[in-house]
Structure formats: structure tokens, C-alpha cells
Amino acid sequence: MTALRVFLVALFGILVMLETFSIPGQYAHMAQQNPDEAHLRWPSTIVSIFWIVCVQVVIVATWKLLTLVRKDLIFTEGAIKWVNVMVWAIAAAWAVLVGVFIWIGVNADDPGVIVLFFLFTSAVSVVGLVLVVMRALLKRATELRADMESVI
């Protein structure tokens, strides 16, 4: 679990750097280089940072779940709460991704971009649905553990 925590901290730090420096700077540079698409600078920046924040929420929730595992409290309502946070973060990112996918589908002149966003949308859908299944399993295991503790 220590290795996972190290990588979560590293990933979180990289994402902070991306959302504060790299992404705003990249979209500002793109707006300067291509003035015809400068109107997309702020919407693109906001959407990209929103997606990063969603990933950061999942990282924080994962950290909290690791703490619950270490304390042997993973089969509690507190764990389900953090899994719900993850599900909602992924659902929010997915909803915005679908909106961007539709907008790009209407405005794109290159089918490669549409296929790429279809791939992204499908991947996020799979991750979200797997997490929903895992939440159901956690909820069932929590109920079973509560039943066993009441018997003992």
C-alpha cells in the first residue's frame, strides 16, 4: 500500500502542476498561434481543469479508502461514502465528456478526433460501471459483515 500511496501523491502533484501551469499556458499559446480558434481558449481550459479536478477527487477518495483498509474499517458505511464520491466524480467527468464528444461530433471535419473521443467516452463509461459494480459488492460485503458481527 505504501507504493500506491507514493504514486497517488506523485500523480496528484503532477495534476496540480498541469492544472495551474501547463494547461492554461498551452491553451493561451494555442490561442495566440491560431486566432481563428481563440474563442475556444477558456472553454477548453475550464473543461480540461474540470476533468483534472475529477481525477484528483478520485485520488483523494482512493487515499481515504486505503486508510480505511489499514484501519480494518473498509466494510463500513464510511467506505461506501468514499466510493460514492468516486462514482459521482466519474459521472460528472463522463457527462462533460459526452457533451464535448457531441460538440466535437457536430463540428469536426476529421473522423479521427471523433473516434478518439468515442474511445475516451467508452473508457470512462467502463471505469464508471466497474466502480458501480464494486460499490454494490462493497455494500453487500458490509451488510454481511454487520450480520456476522450481530451474531457473534
Side-chain angles (χ1 to χ4, degrees), residues 62-82:
T62 302
W63 186 280
K64 293 292 193 175
L65 288 170
L66 287 172
T67 302
L68 292 174
V69 167
R70 190 182 66 216
K71 293 179 179 179
D72 195 28
L73 297 172
I74 193 64
F75 297 113
T76 62
E77 290 296 319
I80 294 171
K81 177 186 85 167
W82 285 108

Side-chain angles (χ1 to χ4, degrees), residues 65 74-76 79-84 86-87 90 126-142:
L65 288 170
I74 193 64
F75 297 113
T76 62
I80 294 171
K81 177 186 85 167
W82 285 108
V83 174
N84 285 337
M86 294 170 77
V87 168
I90 291 171
V126 167
V127 169
L129 292 171
V130 166
L131 197 56
V132 167
V133 169
M134 297 304 287
R135 179 183 60 187
L137 291 172
L138 177 63
K139 190 171 185 177
R140 182 68 180 136
T142 302

Side-chain angles (χ1 to χ4, degrees), residues 90-150:
I90 291 171
W94 179 85
V96 172
L97 182 59
V98 168
V100 171
F101 177 46
I102 291 169
W103 185 83
I104 285 176
V106 170
N107 295 304
D109 54 357
D110 178 15
V113 176
I114 296 171
V115 171
L116 187 63
F117 269 87
F118 180 74
L119 174 68
F120 291 154
T121 305
S122 298
V124 173
S125 299
V126 167
V127 169
L129 292 171
V130 166
L131 197 56
V132 167
V133 169
M134 297 304 287
R135 179 183 60 187
L137 291 172
L138 177 63
K139 190 171 185 177
R140 182 68 180 136
T142 302
E143 291 168 358
L144 290 174
R145 183 167 181 169
D147 290 346
M148 283 180 25
E149 287 177 354
S150 68

Side-chain angles (χ1 to χ4, degrees), residues 11-33:
L11 179 58
F12 195 90
I14 291 167
L15 292 173
V16 167
M17 184 195 66
L18 282 173
E19 72 188 340
T20 55
F21 301 114
S22 184
I23 288 177
Q26 177 64 31
Y27 285 121
H29 177 73
M30 288 171 61
Q32 289 174 348
Q33 295 299 315

